[in-house]
Amino acid sequence: IYRSERIDMQVQKGILITIIILASVIVYSNTLFSDFVWDDTALIANNPYIKSWKFLPKFFIQDIWNIGPQTMSSGYYRPLLAASFMLDYFIWHTRPFGYHLTNLIFHSLVGILIFLLVESLFKDKFISFSSALLFSVHPIHTEAVSFISGRVDVISLALFLVSLILVFKYISHKKIIFYLCSLFSFLISLLIKEMAVTLPLIII
């Protein structure tokens, strides 16, 4: 009976997560057919540095705005954001559809992670589902999802949440692997966007 209940709970969780993914896709699917806009032109469409792997080390020693056709000092050290553009370029070249698809995938992932995080905190599927669903469809995320360069927020948050979830797992299970994976995820998030530096304060 206990095993049957666990299976039913997993099925219910799977259904709720599927709804969250579908809601994210339905609300933001129109972004898939958008073009490059604003910073996308300089950072992606007209950026020769994302078109060859030989430039990858440059991403780790330069301001992100110094690895494009125009140079300026922004103070933004985001090497893995530039690397994500490079990876998309080698799959999609300059077809914006693929870049928008990456943003939508990460936005859906964030919705799932919020569901898992809130569930671990409150042990209540209604609270976790409604929180994740509201986040997934809220129009405040329009810029982060529809603006390709706005993925800096989406990807960084995804890794931020993974790190936070793994911290809770480490606290619960006392397994060092959770701590190490959390630390790794935090460092990757930090290389996407500087705001990840707030994670230790949130944990405290």
Side-chain angles (χ1 to χ4, degrees):
I1 295 174
Y2 176 71
R3 184 179 179 184
S4 176
E5 289 178 348
R6 287 193 61 187
I7 292 173
D8 288 343
M9 288 176 63
Q10 291 302 319
V11 169
Q12 291 174 10
K13 182 182 289 189
I15 292 171
L16 295 178
I17 288 174
T18 301
I19 293 172
I20 291 168
I21 294 171
L22 288 175
S24 300
V25 172
I26 290 170
V27 170
Y28 286 104
S29 60
N30 62 323
T31 67
L32 295 172
F33 307 100
S34 301
D35 207 341
F36 295 116
V37 296
W38 302 331
D39 298 343
D40 298 341
T41 303
L43 293 175
I44 303 170
N46 298 332
N47 189 354
Y49 293 105
I50 69 165
K51 298 175 182 178
S52 174
W53 291 106
K54 71 180 182 180
F55 293 117
L56 184 60
K58 186 178 178 69
F59 299 166
F60 291 87
I61 59 174
Q62 295 280 0
D63 182 310
I64 192 169
W65 277 103
N66 283 323
I67 50 174
Q70 61 185 47
T71 59
M72 58 181 284
S73 179
S74 67
Y76 294 150
Y77 181 69
R78 300 172 178 178
L80 294 186
L81 173 63
S84 78
F85 297 147
M86 175 178 276
L87 183 59
D88 266 347
Y89 175 80
F90 278 91
I91 299 172
W92 305 99
H93 296 287
T94 54
R95 296 191 295 273
F97 174 87
Y99 297 81
H100 286 295
L101 179 61
T102 299
N103 283 26
L104 185 52
I105 289 171
F106 272 98
H107 177 64
S108 300
L109 176 60
V110 167
I112 296 169
L113 291 169
I114 287 175
F115 173 82
L116 297 175
L117 176 62
V118 177
E119 185 187 35
S120 70
L121 290 172
F122 294 97
K123 311 299 181 187
D124 187 305
K125 283 189 172 58
F126 175 76
I127 294 175
S128 55
F129 174 69
S130 57
S131 299
L133 189 63
L134 177 61
F135 180 93
S136 298
V137 303
H138 201 290
I140 200 171
H141 307 303
T142 299
E143 183 176 343
V145 182
S146 60
F147 172 37
I148 295 172
S149 298
R151 72 170 53 172
V152 63
D153 295 309
V154 182
I155 300 178
S156 180
L157 178 58
L159 292 160
F160 189 100
L161 291 172
V162 167
S163 183
L164 194 55
I165 290 169
L166 288 171
V167 163
F168 287 133
K169 284 191 172 292
Y170 169 70
I171 292 171
S172 300
H173 299 87
K174 298 297 186 292
K175 291 185 178 180
I176 192 65
I177 186 64
F178 290 132
Y179 177 80
L180 294 175
C181 289
S182 175
L183 182 60
F184 177 75
S185 183
F186 166 63
L187 292 175
I188 298 299
S189 179
L190 200 56
L191 293 176
I192 296 285
K193 189 174 183 180
E194 308 81 7
M195 276 299 295
V197 74
T198 60
L199 179 61
L201 295 175
I202 290 175
I203 292 172
I204 291 171

